[in-house]
Amino acid sequence: LKEKGLPNIQFYRIPLESEWEYAAQQPSNTKSPTKDNWLIQKVNEGNPNSLNLFHFDDNVSEWVVTSPKEKDYFVRGGSWQTDSDISLRTVTDPNCKEGNIGFRIVRSYLTKKPYDKLNTSK
């Protein structure tokens, strides 16, 4: 960003549901554990997918951001308490406090100078 003259402004957020689903569908080199041998694992333990991301279908189900038009809140993916399945999508009360629900953080970067749209002079 610095080489392109862009500001190094970053922010953190919960992933969009479409982003989460894309990342979760990336292939892994190994099969997920079966329910009989599931253990809670550290964040970077286990079998990463091709994006080097872990645990979309075990440890915890994860909060995602859906369309602004939707009023429901969703968690995606399996957890230690459910089936190992990335297609799971559960409507959940946003005040819910469960030991099998967590979140993933996405780091985004600002790709334009904030004043680019306002500066029309040459």
Side-chain angles (χ1 to χ4, degrees), residues 7 11 14 16 35-36 42 44-45 49 56 67 73 93 97-98 100 112 114 118-119:
F11 58 98
I14 301 289
L16 297 172
K35 201 161 181 139
D36 294 338
K42 292 180 183 175
N44 59 353
E45 280 184 353
N49 67 12
F56 282 96
S67 163
Y73 296 87
D93 180 345
K97 296 176 184 175
E98 298 280 335
N100 65 322
K112 293 184 178 184
L118 301 174
N119 188 0

Side-chain angles (χ1 to χ4, degrees), residues 3-118:
E3 290 173 5
K4 294 180 180 180
L6 296 173
N8 186 11
I9 298 172
Q10 43 189 316
F11 58 98
Y12 299 88
R13 60 186 174 80
I14 301 289
L16 297 172
E17 185 170 19
S18 57
E19 293 171 323
W20 187 95
E21 191 168 309
Y22 173 81
Q25 290 176 350
Q26 299 308 303
S28 177
N29 293 333
T30 58
K31 189 177 178 185
S32 295
T34 63
K35 201 161 181 139
D36 294 338
N37 64 358
W38 277 16
L39 295 172
I40 301 284
Q41 297 177 358
K42 292 180 183 175
V43 172
N44 59 353
E45 280 184 353
N47 305 312
N49 67 12
S50 63
L51 297 174
N52 205 31
L53 299 172
F54 296 80
H55 308 298
F56 282 96
D57 61 353
D58 54 19
N59 276 8
V60 295
S61 299
E62 299 175 6
W63 288 104
V64 295
V65 175
T66 58
S67 163
K69 294 179 182 178
E70 291 190 52
K71 299 292 184 208
D72 293 324
Y73 296 87
F74 293 96
V75 293
R76 290 294 310 265
S79 73
W80 59 268
Q81 198 174 32
T82 64
D83 292 332
S84 177
D85 185 356
I86 63 169
S87 67
L88 290 176
R89 183 180 196 243
T90 308
V91 176
T92 306
D93 180 345
N95 297 312
C96 172
K97 296 176 184 175
E98 298 280 335
N100 65 322
I101 297 176
F103 59 93
R104 187 174 298 264
I105 297 293
V106 174
R107 181 171 59 182
S108 296
Y109 293 91
L110 186 64
T111 58
K112 293 184 178 184
K113 293 178 183 175
Y115 54 82
D116 280 353
K117 289 184 180 179
L118 301 174

